Amino acid sequence: MIQKYRFGTPIETEAAVLDITSIPVERSADGILSAPDIVNDEACLLTLASVSLDKGFSLTLTLDDRDAVYGLGEANRGINKRGHLYISHCNDDPNHTEEKVSLYGAHNFIMVIGAKCFGLFFDYPSDICFDIGYTRQDTLTVRADGTELYVYLITGDGALDIVRQFRWLIGRSYIPPLWAFGYIQSRWGYKNENDIRRVAAGYRSNHLPLDSISMDIDYMEDYKDFTVDQERFPDLSALSAEMKEQGLHFIPIIDAGVKIEPGYDVYEEGVKNNYFCKRADGTDFVAGVWPGKTHFPDMLNTKARRWFGNYYKRLIDQGIEGFWNDMNEPAIFYSEEGLAEAFRRMEELREQKENPDLNAFGAMCDAFCISNLQEDYERFYHNMDGKKIRHDKVHNLYGYNMTRAASESFDEICPDRRLLLFSRSSYIGMHRYGGIWTGDNHSWWSHLLLNVKMMPSLSMCGFLYSGADLGGFGSNTTRDLLLRWLAFGIFTPLMRNHSALGTREQECYQFEGLEDFRNILRLRYRLIPYLYSEYMKAALNDELLFTPLAFVWPQDAVARETEDQLLLGEGLMLTPVCQQNATGRHVYLPEDMLFLLFTSSEEYTVTPMSAGHHYISCGLAEVPVFLRPGHLLPLAPSCECTAQLDYSSFEVLGEAGKGLTYSMYTDDGYTKHPERDGRWITITK
Ligand code: MIG
């Protein structure tokens, strides 16, 4: 059951799609809250938790020792969120160390599962803090400065049921084209078409499978959105046709900020039509980002959104079928005001120049820490279809609506075809328009583990098409880290190797022993029919793609606490190796399973294992997975790109002679209506 509580007059975020009558919460003169519309015998938010509107909104409840707290989508730390605090504030912070409380997304859905059992979704577009046993170990507090919001209370029969209801509430997840399940190579720094050709050749000539190359800001002319540098990429249409012949797709990046440059039509039109975010005095707000000074398109304005979305057509017309939206928290290196203030502060410190004491030196260092400042988010306004709203009040909706702008324009530009779209920043609701990648991680083993733990939380919040920068974005990767990360990445829908400018090159062919990479990538392609089918089931039935063991075996204390193993779809349990120099790992089996160890893309061992604790050996080039009883794993013949995928013959792993079947989804991989155009076929063994 879902109840929707209304506090005040909330901003309509369109995160939810179900039309549910809301229950108004009333506040008496002495501050007592009541929900008069609630029939007495029903569970009520106000009896379940103590809610106050005295100093902003707060909701507090006591956690039992047995309660775990799940959710929050793209957030730091473990699957069970207990023990820390998290602030939904879409943030461009490229150092996801353990103490960080905000990443790029704002996914305000949590579930308390244990002695109690319910879910809460806070539809609130500004900063909101989830203190989950941080201030007091036994207390959950959710607080926000504002008091106008919707809170959804979802009760049900365990975690899986609550997730299903929540996902029904927020609408069907985005479904990408089939080729988006192919392997993507990316790097910040492919500066011209020859760099791109070299990457294509590096993969194709070494028979390393590849479907796409994503293009970072280097392809643009002076970082101007929807332009292509004519010197470095003289003919994008020809280049994309050339790549298509090799079965390759291009995925260009689009940034949020539009360069201020007279004569640049996006800038000119935006100014003329008042499509940019404005300061209080009505002038266009200026933010420094990659192109230097920019304006932010007002993504919360319907007309501006349509206008911005239409520009994607320029690249689509040149053969482009996929995009990634970046810097859309929106990230701000500096504002004009912030920059002026920084120079003023330095001026004040000038006298200390010859012999600064520590305080002065600290102040000098701090003077230019002016990126992504709260003050800047308070300096500009949106025109939400007639309503003027200060940005900080709706901060978490920006990336969501940039991606929505693109998606809605795709519906007009190519109504029958699915395009690939993923974003850095997001809010719940955006999952209907595109996927996300999890931003600027590092080439750290701990970030491989973070990737593993984040996947089920993303599933809970509807972000099915997602994945991390495999191999790590910042810092220098190593061969073993990349191999282990790819061995996990072959199971994530978005499988992209991406790295930052200036770091060690991390395309697979940069390392020795290419056959190890080849085997792992080829195995990905063998798994795509399973992955794609399970993706469709999760999207069409509002189910999890990645499931924590705790949700399936809630009575099993060890399963409940196991966070480095995940269920993927109906039959697989993933047990990635996330430790340097490890030649295997401990695994826990809540039930008897078949251990499948892929020693290459074609070869594997099958070992029945009984429930309980085991140590499995797993070499650097091997992929360990477990198959649950009663399930089959179909494997396509290996190939080098999705265009070569052969659905006519499958190798089927699992128990023979038991009449087991697997339901597989097939379609052309790009038409838009999966229920109408797709077909379910039955695989047997
Ligand atoms: O300020 O476009 O997260 O994937 O390579 C950095 C350059 C801007 C951040 C993205 C990253 C991308 C990078 N971008």
Side-chain angles (χ1 to χ4, degrees):
M1 186 179 68
I2 307 180
Q3 290 175 343
K4 176 181 183 181
Y5 293 85
R6 180 168 56 76
F7 294 85
T9 315
I11 288 166
E12 297 298 333
T13 66
E14 296 175 56
V17 296
L18 270 196
D19 195 11
I20 300 177
T21 311
S22 60
I23 303 162
V25 176
E26 291 171 9
R27 189 175 187 274
S28 69
D30 49 2
I32 309 288
L33 300 183
S34 62
D37 288 15
I38 289 263
V39 192
N40 283 335
D41 56 350
E42 281 181 306
C44 173
L45 183 71
L46 302 178
T47 50
L48 196 92
S50 96
V51 181
S52 155
L53 299 176
D54 293 342
K55 281 188 241 137
F57 170 87
S58 84
L59 174 148
T60 300
L61 57 97
T62 303
L63 295 171
D64 186 277
D65 283 349
R66 287 162 295 171
D67 288 332
V69 180
Y70 300 105
L72 294 182
E74 186 183 18
N76 214 345
R77 298 190 169 235
I79 299 178
N80 180 354
K81 295 295 181 204
R82 266 190 90 157
H84 215 260
L85 67 86
Y86 312 85
I87 298 175
S88 288
H89 169 81
C90 297
N91 193 24
D92 172 24
D93 177 344
N95 288 303
H96 315 158
T97 44
E98 205 170 304
E99 81 281 9
K100 294 298 166 69
V101 294
S102 301
L103 301 177
Y104 310 87
H107 306 155
N108 305 333
F109 170 63
I110 55 170
M111 286 188 288
V112 181
I113 304 288
K116 311 176 224 353
C117 185
F118 57 85
L120 292 169
F121 172 46
F122 301 85
D123 188 7
Y124 179 73
S126 185
D127 295 8
I128 182 165
C129 174
F130 295 83
D131 179 337
I132 308 180
Y134 171 79
T135 302
R136 273 187 62 95
Q137 255 194 303
D138 67 351
T139 307
L140 165 79
T141 304
V142 181
R143 67 182 110 67
D145 286 346
T147 53
E148 314 211 82
L149 72 162
Y150 291 112
V151 180
Y152 295 81
L153 169 64
I154 307 173
T155 49
D157 189 13
L160 292 170
D161 179 41
I162 292 168
V163 168
R164 205 175 296 116
Q165 294 186 58
F166 174 60
R167 296 269 303 285
W168 172 243
L169 170 71
I170 59 174
R172 179 183 292 173
S173 296
Y174 162 76
I175 297 175
L178 176 66
W179 63 265
F181 288 81
Y183 175 62
I184 308 173
Q185 180 61 59
S186 182
R187 180 171 173 84
W188 176 10
Y190 296 150
K191 57 188 180 311
N192 57 35
E193 44 174 43
N194 279 337
D195 282 359
I196 299 285
R197 288 195 179 103
R198 249 195 304 275
V199 176
Y203 277 88
R204 287 289 178 256
S205 67
N206 288 303
H207 296 286
L208 292 160
L210 182 71
D211 253 85
S212 307
I213 299 176
S214 76
M215 309 206 301
D216 210 313
I217 44 176
D218 322 87
Y219 79 89
M220 297 182 209
E221 179 192 301
D222 300 329
Y223 305 128
K224 282 182 291 190
D225 277 339
F226 312 110
T227 67
V228 179
D229 188 286
Q230 289 307 299
E231 238 162 72
R232 292 177 289 112
F233 290 88
D235 192 344
L236 184 63
S237 302
L239 187 66
S240 55
E242 179 188 323
M243 291 295 137
K244 216 157 278 177
E245 265 168 41
Q246 302 181 47
L248 294 174
H249 308 260
F250 273 152
I251 310 167
I253 195 170
I254 303 293
D255 276 12
V258 170
K259 183 175 168 64
I260 298 177
E261 185 185 282
Y264 168 40
D265 57 355
V266 186
Y267 161 75
E268 300 269 1
E269 282 177 37
V271 170
K272 192 176 77 206
N273 295 301
N274 293 310
Y275 287 155
F276 292 127
C277 293
K278 291 185 183 297
R279 300 188 178 100
D281 67 4
T283 56
D284 290 333
F285 176 72
V286 177
V289 214
W290 283 103
K293 289 186 178 180
T294 70
H295 292 319
F296 288 142
D298 189 350
M299 300 298 180
L300 301 187
N301 179 280
T302 307
K303 281 193 193 144
R305 210 161 46 231
R306 173 161 309 154
W307 161 78
F308 189 80
N310 271 329
Y311 285 112
Y312 285 78
K313 185 168 188 303
R314 285 202 181 154
L315 292 160
I316 293 172
D317 286 345
Q318 296 173 69
I320 299 301
E321 297 162 281
F323 296 90
W324 48 312
N325 286 340
D326 191 20
M327 304 294 276
N328 51 5
E329 294 68 31
I332 301 177
F333 293 165
Y334 61 83
S335 67
E336 274 188 334
E337 293 87 340
L339 201 59
E341 170 67 17
F343 277 105
R344 198 186 55 70
R345 262 181 274 158
M346 282 308 265
E347 202 53 45
E348 276 174 19
L349 292 162
R350 215 187 157 78
E351 283 156 33
Q352 309 254 11
K353 198 172 110 203
E354 295 312 322
N355 187 9
D357 62 19
L358 262 195
N359 282 338
F361 179 67
M364 287 171 189
C365 293
D366 289 349
F368 281 89
C369 291
I370 55 171
S371 297
N372 308 319
L373 291 185
Q374 189 60 22
E375 291 101 279
D376 284 335
Y377 293 130
E378 293 169 12
R379 278 196 175 105
F380 64 96
Y381 292 78
H382 296 274
N383 170 0
M384 270 184 96
D385 300 337
K387 237 170 119 191
K388 183 172 168 185
I389 297 186
R390 205 172 70 187
H391 175 78
D392 61 305
K393 310 280 184 210
V394 286
H395 175 71
N396 292 338
L397 302 182
Y398 194 85
Y400 159 23
N401 281 283
M402 176 183 182
T403 301
R404 177 176 172 186
S407 168
E408 288 178 343
S409 82
F410 297 169
D411 287 342
E412 286 174 20
I413 300 164
C414 34
D416 298 322
R417 206 154 39 101
R418 283 178 263 158
L419 298 190
L420 172 57
L421 181 60
F422 55 98
S423 173
R424 193 169 70 178
S425 186
S426 61
Y427 185 81
I428 285 171
M430 202 211 85
H431 70 289
R432 300 192 298 272
Y433 300 102
I436 52 176
W437 92 100
T438 56
D440 299 345
N441 60 7
H442 279 262
S443 299
W444 298 340
W445 290 86
S446 61
H447 277 180
L448 163 54
L449 192 56
L450 182 63
N451 181 193
V452 173
K453 294 182 181 182
M454 211 186 272
M455 293 314 291
S457 308
L458 292 172
S459 265
M460 293 173 216
C461 295
F463 292 93
L464 299 184
Y465 189 77
S466 54
D469 287 351
L470 305 176
F473 175 76
S475 312
N476 295 322
T477 202
T478 54
R479 180 177 186 271
D480 54 345
L481 176 60
L482 180 57
L483 279 169
R484 290 297 196 198
W485 212 326
L486 290 170
F488 176 67
I490 60 174
F491 298 104
T492 63
L494 168 59
M495 184 193 180
R496 186 177 74 146
N497 172 343
H498 180 51
S499 56
L501 189 70
T503 59
R504 180 180 184 179
E505 293 179 298
Q506 71 183 38
E507 297 81 12
C508 295
Y509 55 79
Q510 307 285 0
F511 300 90
E512 75 275 15
L514 283 193
E515 64 281 6
D516 292 346
F517 292 92
R518 193 176 298 124
N519 276 320
I520 291 177
L521 296 181
R522 289 176 85 97
L523 183 57
R524 161 65 168 213
Y525 282 81
R526 300 200 69 191
L527 286 163
I528 286 178
Y530 176 80
L531 189 55
Y532 189 54
S533 302
E534 295 307 307
Y535 190 99
M536 286 300 182
K537 292 171 197 171
L540 300 179
N541 305 324
D542 299 319
E543 278 167 356
L544 292 172
L545 182 59
F546 292 93
T547 308
L549 272 52
F551 290 11
V552 177
W553 294 282
Q555 307 304 335
D556 179 332
V558 181
R560 258 195 333 257
E561 293 178 10
T562 300
E563 297 202 346
D564 61 350
Q565 303 176 196
L566 302 174
L567 296 169
L568 167 64
E570 61 168 58
L572 287 188
M573 181 173 78
L574 313 180
T575 54
V577 177
C578 302
Q579 186 189 321
Q580 188 153 35
N581 298 317
T583 54
R585 56 164 288 171
H586 286 98
V587 295
Y588 176 69
L589 275 54
E591 63 188 7
D592 295 353
M593 293 186 190
L594 282 185
F595 173 40
L596 311 176
L597 180 68
F598 288 91
T599 51
S600 77
S601 61
E602 313 304 314
E603 291 156 329
Y604 48 82
T605 57
V606 182
T607 317
M609 279 195 182
S610 51
H613 295 271
H614 298 270
Y615 182 86
I616 55 165
S617 294
C618 175
L620 200 49
E622 297 177 335
V623 178
V625 289
F626 287 81
L627 187 60
R628 296 186 62 190
H631 292 277
L632 297 176
L633 175 64
L635 293 170
S638 63
C639 61
E640 291 185 21
C641 61
T642 50
Q644 294 171 353
L645 267 176
D646 174 5
Y647 272 73
S648 66
S649 69
F650 287 94
E651 186 172 359
V652 185
L653 307 193
E655 286 179 290
K658 292 225 166 143
L660 299 182
T661 61
Y662 179 74
S663 182
M664 181 183 289
Y665 183 84
T666 64
D667 67 352
D668 60 13
Y670 60 85
T671 18
K672 251 201 180 136
H673 309 283
E675 274 140 336
R676 195 186 66 204
D677 303 317
R679 208 158 51 89
W680 293 96
I681 57 172
T682 303
I683 305 282
T684 52
K685 171 146 185 161

